[in-house]
Amino acid sequence: MSETAVGGGTEAFVKDTLDIGIVASARHPIREPFAGGLEMQTHALARRLRARGHTVTVYASACSDPELGVEPVCEEASLLDLSEAAAQDPSMVARRFLDEHHAYLHLMLRLGGRGHDVVQNNSVHYLPMAMASAVATPMVTTLHTPPTPWLESGLQSRAEESGVFVSVSETNARAWRRSVDVDRVVPNGIDLERWRFGLCADAGRAVWTGRIVPEKGAHLAVAAAHAAGLAVDVAGPVHDERYF
């Protein structure tokens, strides 16, 4: 804690470090090998914040890296005990969807009492958005994906404006501005200690990695590499055979 002067000679204490809650994706563990960029970014964010002296709690899958200060959210899904009548109702959705819904619902109902100074919503689930105004703690939501029906529903159902929204790119921010005011663009970062700039050992080659789908832009990376006179290795899971 540090002491600082406030107007009129009044003195107050301002925190040098914060208690931060990170609402992460519950679908995949936040650990290596990462399921995708969202999990990698969440891991790096939590690790760097802790290295700066902040207290960090990551609400994520129980299988996540314990060094991040993980509090499991998926355990709450196992507490959902549906009656036979409810399970057989025509409105019943896929169990995985319902389990994730229940886990985030339980988390948001108790999040306000955890004493965090700020909550970073790094998930892509609609409930943290929909219930943001029910949590007294200030919330920052990072928009990682283009709008989906569920996320837009979560935004439009909020009782009042709550929280700050940032986007990972200008393109993504433009897609969202119909639904929400994007405060700023904060691109995803990488750990520069592990990913150093430079040519491959085999000079004249480049590498692109990620899910092989059109929206990830592997074709643009190939075109850019060829324009620069480089061969390029493309590596990643093929989620779109036709595009591949």
Side-chain angles (χ1 to χ4, degrees):
M1 304 284 280
S2 62
E3 195 172 9
T4 183
V6 181
T10 303
E11 293 185 341
F13 288 96
V14 179
K15 286 188 174 182
D16 290 326
T17 59
L18 297 173
D19 187 316
I20 303 170
I22 298 179
V23 179
S25 170
R27 185 166 296 181
H28 301 291
I30 310 301
R31 69 174 187 191
E32 296 187 75
F34 300 114
L38 174 59
E39 289 73 27
M40 182 191 72
Q41 191 265 353
T42 303
H43 189 277
L45 176 66
R47 193 165 60 86
R48 287 294 184 176
L49 287 173
R50 289 173 69 86
R52 292 189 178 192
H54 301 293
T55 299
V56 179
T57 303
V58 179
Y59 299 98
S61 163
C63 299
S64 300
D65 185 350
E67 294 186 3
L68 301 181
V70 172
E71 182 167 322
V73 296
C74 52
E75 289 181 354
E76 310 303 339
S78 64
L79 301 177
L80 179 59
D81 184 18
L82 293 179
S83 66
E84 183 178 350
Q88 294 180 356
D89 188 84
S91 66
M92 178 64 181
V93 295
R95 182 65 196 223
R96 181 176 181 179
F97 179 92
L98 189 61
D99 286 346
E100 195 172 30
H101 166 92
H102 189 71
Y104 279 112
L105 177 62
H106 190 276
L107 171 62
M108 295 307 296
L109 288 174
R110 63 189 170 93
L111 193 57
R114 298 307 306 270
H116 298 304
D117 295 307
V118 64
V119 172
Q120 162 68 26
N121 175 24
N122 222 34
S123 74
V124 289
H125 199 268
Y126 60 92
L127 276 180
M129 289 184 179
M131 300 178 69
S133 58
V135 179
T137 307
M139 182 180 294
V140 178
T141 292
T142 299
L143 301 169
H144 289 274
T145 69
T148 68
W150 291 99
L151 292 178
E152 286 197 352
S153 173
L155 281 171
Q156 294 175 20
S157 63
R158 289 181 301 152
E160 59 185 355
E161 200 66 27
S162 178
V164 173
F165 291 85
V166 300
S167 173
V168 296
S169 72
E170 289 287 356
T171 299
N172 196 52
R174 286 194 297 270
W176 273 101
R177 284 187 174 125
R178 179 182 179 277
S179 303
V180 67
D181 291 329
V182 177
D183 183 70
R184 66 184 63 185
V185 172
V186 182
N188 286 338
I190 60 172
D191 186 347
L192 294 178
E193 294 178 359
R194 300 186 65 181
W195 297 91
R196 297 183 181 276
F197 175 77
L199 293 175
C200 301
D202 179 9
R205 301 191 69 84
V207 175
W208 181 96
T209 182
R211 286 188 297 116
I212 300 178
V213 290
E215 61 267 26
K216 291 295 185 179
H219 60 290
L220 299 176
V222 170
H226 289 173
L230 299 173
V232 57
D233 295 314
V234 175
V238 179
H239 288 185
D240 186 326
E241 288 285 353
R242 183 177 179 182
Y243 173 69
F244 176 69

